[in-house]
Amino acid sequence: MPRPTGRPRTAGVSPTGRGTREDILHAGARLFCTVGYGSTSTHALAEVAGVRQATLYHHFAGKHEVLLELLLGTVQPSLDAARALLARDEPAAARLWALAAGDVRLLSGGEDNLGALYLLPELDDERFAPFHARRRELEEAYAALVAQCVAEAADDPGATAAAGPDHLGRRTALVLGLVESVILQRRRAPATLDERTPALVADAVLAVVGVPVGRRGEAV
Amino acid sequence: MPRPTGRPRTAGVSPTGRGTREDILHAGARLFCTVGYGSTSTHALAEVAGVRQATLYHHFAGKHEVLLELLLGTVQPSLDAARALLARDEPAAARLWALAAGDVRLLSGGEDNLGALYLLPELDDERFAPFHARRRELEEAYAALVAQCVAEAADDPGATAAAGPDHLGRRTALVLGLVESVILQRRRAPATLDERTPALVADAVLAVVGVPVGRRGEAV
């Protein structure tokens, strides 16, 4: 997807020092989250990025490719963390906690609420398949950790976790919902998100999975 | 906002029998959730509704008014329920459970995922103030019930609920996040939502608030 970079842009060097490609991504994030994806033209995108439209098309096939790269950035770091956590042997509850906290930190960080773009109907387009594939893999990692948590808690008298594939799928949906709810919270009341939010959401994730407080342990 | 109805539309009677106004709202819901709000013109709106643009403008000042009315419909029934529940004297946990379950049912019902429109940047416009005001009132009702749950559970040894205004605000944010996460779940995996979802989310809400299982009681 991304084309080779390197050709100097028509409008000169990047005024921010981040480079042309980053300037375009930054402009896309800002415009898609304030004006709206559907209402943003490549003309506006180029203008806010401080480049000519020809330069924009040299780096991206269109605004959809800008959006795709922004979306991938909201998943890839959590996916990398998930792969690493799945390979470790700490208790599942501690690893699920770490994954959820890191994911919340990612979704609530950055200058723009990029997770809000998940709800765009435009994402049904085939061109966003790479985003959906990575997000699915991340969901599967959550599902695996939820299943391990339930298995670990099965012999604990304080556990309220229920087994069964149906229950596991539903619990995973609640976990994903809790993590991604920071996207909605950030839209509704951004001031209520702070550095304690990731830990609080991760605690809530373990409560929803049914891990008893005493078994929640420490972050990985 | 809504103008007086009654003038027969240029294109004849409503083919669906729902009436012109409802046909326009229905077309708006479908287009905003599939094509996108920013990408939907009043021309397309009128065409899908089966009316002329002049007729659309007779009923609505523009597509923003169609959106506003759709958004109000995603809050008003839950707000009515919240007001009624706040006036009752059953245990707060049971009332919070009932509010959350009903809210989830509303957000996951209907033909289109209207909650997805909550994330539109266009909603920052002053013209959507009536929606934000009602949503804030609903949030305050949740906050009041969460505070009552925590107070009721304070003398229960099994309770994990913590008091203090900061904690209450954070718990309320988690509760709202859990309820509204069905919007994200519906976008991601609509097949995973079914008639059991409202009860499961409401159970998770009580878990997050820290109401011990034994005190959760029955739905109001």
Side-chain angles (χ1 to χ4, degrees):
Chain A
M1 279 153 318
R3 301 186 177 173
T5 57
R7 197 179 73 166
R9 63 178 176 181
T10 331
V13 296
S14 162
T16 61
R18 282 185 296 229
T20 301
R21 201 177 165 77
E22 280 304 311
D23 285 344
I24 295 168
L25 288 168
H26 193 255
R30 182 52 43 92
L31 287 169
F32 299 160
C33 290
T34 55
V35 174
Y37 177 71
S39 308
T40 297
S41 62
T42 49
H43 177 81
L45 201 47
E47 194 174 318
V48 171
V51 303
R52 297 203 188 155
Q53 265 188 282
T55 307
L56 190 150
Y57 281 112
H58 174 67
H59 288 275
F60 297 95
K63 67 173 180 174
H64 66 276
E65 239 183 54
V66 177
L67 176 58
L68 174 59
E69 193 154 326
L70 291 169
L71 291 170
L72 291 176
T74 67
V75 181
Q76 195 62 52
S78 291
L79 188 52
D80 294 340
R83 287 172 180 156
L85 286 164
L86 282 175
R88 294 174 65 154
D89 55 8
E90 281 90 351
R95 289 180 289 143
L96 177 60
W97 193 98
L99 177 59
D103 206 355
V104 167
R105 206 171 294 116
L106 180 67
L107 291 172
S108 55
E111 289 177 49
D112 298 288
N113 189 9
L114 294 172
L117 305 171
Y118 288 4
L119 288 161
L120 286 171
E122 288 89 340
L123 262 56
D124 288 337
D125 190 281
E126 171 62 29
R127 296 178 294 188
F128 296 102
F131 163 68
H132 296 299
R134 279 177 185 71
R135 208 160 162 232
R136 211 157 29 240
E137 188 186 340
L138 179 59
E139 287 166 28
E140 285 161 8
Y142 272 105
L145 288 172
V146 167
Q148 289 177 35
C149 280
V150 171
E152 281 177 6
D155 56 351
D156 188 308
T160 58
D166 183 45
H167 251 84
L168 286 173
R170 290 176 181 280
R171 282 195 192 253
T172 302
L174 287 171
V175 165
L176 292 168
L178 257 178
V179 168
E180 294 187 344
S181 72
V182 296
I183 297 167
L184 292 151
Q185 192 182 339
R186 187 172 178 177
R187 177 80 183 98
R188 180 180 51 227
T192 63
L193 292 173
D194 60 25
E195 74 289 348
R196 286 165 59 202
T197 305
L200 287 164
V201 174
D203 288 345
V205 159
L206 295 192
V208 159
V209 171
V211 178
V213 177
R215 277 187 76 110
R216 288 180 198 172
E218 290 303 307
V220 174
Chain B
M1 285 149 316
R3 308 206 170 153
T5 56
R7 196 178 75 165
R9 63 175 174 184
T10 331
V13 296
S14 162
T16 61
R18 282 185 296 228
T20 301
R21 200 176 167 79
E22 280 304 311
D23 284 343
I24 294 169
L25 288 168
H26 192 257
R30 182 53 43 92
L31 286 169
F32 300 160
C33 291
T34 54
V35 175
Y37 178 70
S39 308
T40 297
S41 62
T42 50
H43 177 82
L45 201 48
E47 193 174 317
V48 170
V51 303
R52 297 203 187 152
Q53 265 188 282
T55 307
L56 189 151
Y57 281 112
H58 174 68
H59 288 276
F60 297 94
K63 68 174 178 172
H64 66 276
E65 239 183 56
V66 176
L67 176 58
L68 174 59
E69 193 153 327
L70 291 169
L71 291 170
L72 291 176
T74 67
V75 181
Q76 196 62 52
S78 292
L79 188 52
D80 294 340
R83 287 171 181 158
L85 287 164
L86 283 174
R88 294 173 66 156
D89 55 8
E90 281 91 350
R95 288 180 290 142
L96 178 60
W97 193 98
L99 178 58
D103 207 353
V104 168
R105 206 172 293 116
L106 180 67
L107 291 173
S108 55
E111 289 176 50
D112 298 288
N113 188 10
L114 294 172
L117 305 171
Y118 287 5
L119 288 162
L120 287 171
E122 288 91 336
L123 262 54
D124 287 337
D125 190 281
E126 171 63 27
R127 297 179 293 188
F128 296 102
F131 163 67
H132 297 298
R134 279 180 183 71
R135 205 158 163 234
R136 209 153 35 238
E137 189 186 337
L138 179 59
E139 287 166 29
E140 285 161 6
Y142 272 105
L145 288 172
V146 167
Q148 289 178 36
C149 280
V150 171
E152 282 178 5
D155 57 351
D156 189 308
T160 58
D166 182 48
H167 250 84
L168 286 173
R170 290 174 182 279
R171 282 197 193 254
T172 303
L174 287 171
V175 165
L176 292 168
L178 258 178
V179 168
E180 293 187 344
S181 71
V182 296
I183 296 166
L184 292 151
Q185 193 182 340
R186 187 172 178 179
R187 177 81 183 95
R188 182 178 50 226
T192 62
L193 292 173
D194 60 25
E195 73 290 348
R196 286 165 60 201
T197 305
L200 288 165
V201 175
D203 287 345
V205 159
L206 295 193
V208 159
V209 171
V211 177
V213 177
R215 276 187 76 109
R216 289 183 195 170
E218 292 301 309
V220 173

